[in-house]
Each structure stands twice: as C-alpha cells, then as structure tokens.
Amino acid sequence: MTGSDFTPRVFSGIQPSGGLTLGNYLGALKRFVDMQDAATHECIYCMVDLHAVTVWQDPVALKASTREAAAAFMAAGIDPARSILFNQSQVPQHAQLAWVFNCVARMGWMGRMTQWKDKAGKNTENASLGLFAYPALMAADILVYHATHVPVGDDQKQHLELTRDIAAKFNHDFGVDFFPITEPVIEGPATRVMSLRDGTKKMSKSDPSDMSRINMSDDADTIAQKFRKARTDPEPLPDSYEGLKDRPEARNLVDIYAALSGRSTEDIMNEVAGWQWGQFKPHLAEAAVATLAPITDEMTRFMNDPAEIDRILGEGAGRAEEIAAPILTRTYDIMGMVASR
Ligand code: AQP
C-alpha cells in the first residue's frame, strides 16, 4: 500500500528549542501555509516539544518558546480552524507509538543518521538516549496520523527515509498494509537556508551566535545589521547563478533574496549582476523586513494573550488525539497487545 491509498493528510512540526528563524520560515512555515491554503490535504502542525528535550531545555524558556512558536505559526497564516495546531506532549499517542517504533527500528539505522552524529559530536557517551531515538519519535509523529505527505527542509530528508523504512518494516513484519509510505515534500527555493556567518552550515535556532541567523522576532534595524555584517567575499555579484558555484555565502544571500521576493534566481541575477555587497545587502534587508515585519507584529499580538494560545493548542490537541487514538489502538491490536479496556 502506498500513501495514495490513504486520506491525503499532511503532518509537520517545528521544535520549540528557541525562537524560530528565517530558515524555519522559508523552509517550513511558509510551505505549511501553502499546503493549508491549497486545501487538498487535511493539515496537522505541531510544536514538537518532546523532540526539543532530547537536548537540555530550560523549563521556563521551553514554555515561552512553545507559545512563541505557536504565535509564529498563526502569524504566518496557519488558521487553527482549518489546520490542527497543538504541542506534541499533549497527545500521548506520539510517545506511545515511538516506543513501538523503537522496537521496529534497528540500532544500525539510527547510528547512520547524520543529525545524530552532528548533534552528539564526539561525546556520544554523554548524549541522551532520546537524541539517538529521535528519528523513531519523528516516524511516530507522522505515522500516528497516517500522514501521507510531510513538508520539511532538506536537512530532514534522511529522517523521512527512515520513517518510510520503519513503516515498511512494520507492514512486512506483521503482514499488513497498515502504515502509509509517506512522501516527503522538499521543494521551493529555500529548502536549506545557510548561516549568515558560515555558508556551509545550516541557519539554526540553536547556533550559539545570534548573528548567524535572522529570527522571526527581529526588528528592522536588527535585520539590517545582521545582513550588513553577514559574511561574504570581496568579489561583486556575477552575471549568472552559475557564477556563485564556489561562493557559498554569496549564493546563500541570493537564494534568500529569491525566496523572499518569490522570483527565480536567474531573474535576480539579471537585476543584480555587477553589484557590490554594499548595494545588495540593504536591498536584501528591505525584502526581509517587508516579509517579516507584518508577521512579527502579528506574533506580538498573539503573544500578548498566552491564555488564548494555550486554549488553541489544547483544542488542537483534542482534535489530534481523535485521529491518533484509534490508529494506536489498531497498532497494538496488530501486534497482539490487548488494547481495549
Ligand atoms: N536553515 C533552514 N533552512 C530550511 N529549512 C529549515 N528548517 C530548519 N532550519 C532550516 C526546517 O524547519 C523545520 C523545523 O525544524 P526544527 O526546528 O524542528 O529542527 P531543525 O531542522 O534542527 O532546526 P534548527 O533551527 O536547526 O533547530 P535546532 O537548532 O533546535 O536543532 C524542518 O522542516 C526543517 O527542515
């Protein structure tokens, strides 16, 4: 059975491990909104707090970041009446199915995950068991809703492949066609926005340097300053996108500008060929502010009413659980566990 035999359903999530970045916006949030607005799929979006705690999170900061992320989702255009919006820890079936998948996935599969290697670094002895098992929880997040499509940034491609492997192994081991083989949706001009300090590293909310990223909560002056200080090289902009091949920082800024302005990179190169960075960077900052300022204002408005955010997340969790609970019960049943009370 493939994804096409199931109800078209989208699931995706963002870790509330800090304030969301322009990378999260362009690579994920903006596309979540597009999929909601296309109205071809039921959409389920989640603040994945159980993933966030695979590395240390200050409890007060985690609560604030979860509400801030929810505000960012809604400010960017997620409508909780049309999409289901909630935080992961409120729906217990995520963790319950993750345990099942911990028993389906193989140690070797998990050990090959590049995110595990990157985040655990050399000191794997000291990394949490949760960080190692992270991809099994991600598979559970998706499959507990029988989601058929998952919009993500490029960095999540390997985890999505593992989700497909887990679904296929479960179906094969138990002789069923129960879990869909989910399709990743990795498309658009900004599937990997890079750090402003190092064009070979992904822009990340947990990078120690705040100058490496644009936060969705940054004001216009901060955005202009971060782009002004963004690392580049001494050469002017070339007349073709090809000319950016070995210039990662330069290419990143052009990619960001193309994504923000909704234009092709070829079109952008026609406009900016021969420009110096002193001319291009203010232009880029202006485009970023034009996109982000209305969203940031709306985020502030939502964040002024945390009780309302909590109410929306609670309501979303109830709707999510209505879908997840029977799928978990059926999973237990397939495995021979007595699930009814
Ligand atoms: N730089 C990026 N460019 C494009 N897409 C990105 N995403 C994240 N960074 C970029 C996409 O955003 C979604 C949510 O990601 P996440 O926050 O759950 O985890 P992450 O990918 O690990 O993001 P961070 O910012 O790097 O988080 P930390 O620092 O906490 O690990 C995903 O779809 C991701 O692809």
Side-chain angles (χ1 to χ4, degrees), residues 65-92:
S65 297
T66 303
R67 290 190 179 124
E68 187 184 318
F73 271 73
M74 293 189 282
I78 295 300
D79 171 2
R82 285 188 289 152
S83 295
I84 298 178
L85 184 67
F86 67 104
N87 60 306
Q88 189 187 22
S89 57
Q90 289 201 62
V91 178

Side-chain angles (χ1 to χ4, degrees), residues 159-340:
H159 289 163
L160 261 296
E161 278 159 15
L162 190 106
T163 297
R164 291 162 67 91
D165 290 343
I166 288 176
K169 181 163 167 29
F170 182 97
N171 289 345
H172 176 266
D173 288 353
F174 294 100
V176 290
D177 278 330
F178 184 61
F179 286 117
I181 306 301
T182 304
E183 290 295 332
V185 186
I186 303 173
E187 55 195 34
T191 54
R192 188 179 281 257
V193 177
M194 308 310 275
S195 158
L196 301 182
R197 308 301 303 162
D198 177 351
T200 64
K201 260 175 64 186
K202 189 182 74 134
M203 182 180 286
S204 182
K205 60 177 110 63
S206 60
D207 191 298
S209 164
D210 193 55
M211 293 304 282
S212 70
R213 61 179 163 263
I214 304 292
N215 301 305
M216 284 183 70
S217 55
D218 283 343
D219 62 24
D221 288 346
T222 309
I223 292 174
Q225 193 205 19
K226 286 181 175 176
F227 278 126
R228 198 165 50 246
K229 298 217 156 152
R231 191 167 154 196
T232 42
D233 52 42
E235 302 299 316
L237 282 144
D239 56 11
S240 76
Y241 191 68
E242 281 292 285
L244 293 167
K245 198 160 117 328
D246 298 316
R247 299 172 63 185
E249 283 84 14
R251 193 179 58 225
N252 185 39
L253 296 188
V254 169
D255 285 344
I256 293 175
Y257 185 45
L260 286 168
S261 54
R263 290 162 57 194
S264 69
T265 46
E266 289 71 27
D267 193 23
I268 300 294
M269 295 320 294
N270 286 337
E271 179 193 350
V272 303
W275 285 19
Q276 299 293 336
W277 292 106
Q279 188 179 2
F280 179 76
K281 285 177 169 180
H283 219 63
L284 172 60
E286 219 173 275
V289 171
T291 300
L292 290 182
I295 299 177
T296 310
D297 288 351
E298 200 51 11
M299 268 171 75
T300 309
R301 198 178 65 74
F302 281 116
M303 274 160 26
N304 283 337
D305 192 352
E308 176 61 5
I309 294 180
D310 293 354
R311 189 197 64 74
I312 290 168
L313 295 180
E315 202 250 339
R319 287 163 62 205
E321 193 162 357
E322 276 174 29
I323 303 172
I327 291 176
L328 183 75
T329 301
R330 179 76 189 119
T331 307
Y332 283 174
D333 188 40
I334 289 168
M335 298 175 76
M337 295 195 270
V338 181
S340 58

Side-chain angles (χ1 to χ4, degrees), residues 128-172:
S128 74
L129 186 55
L131 189 64
F132 188 68
Y134 180 116
L137 176 59
M138 184 164 157
D141 298 337
I142 295 164
L143 295 172
V144 83
Y145 301 105
H146 278 184
T148 54
H149 293 84
V150 181
V152 279
D154 183 61
D155 59 316
Q156 294 299 328
K157 193 172 173 185
Q158 196 185 27
H159 289 163
L160 261 296
E161 278 159 15
L162 190 106
T163 297
R164 291 162 67 91
D165 290 343
I166 288 176
K169 181 163 167 29
F170 182 97
N171 289 345
H172 176 266

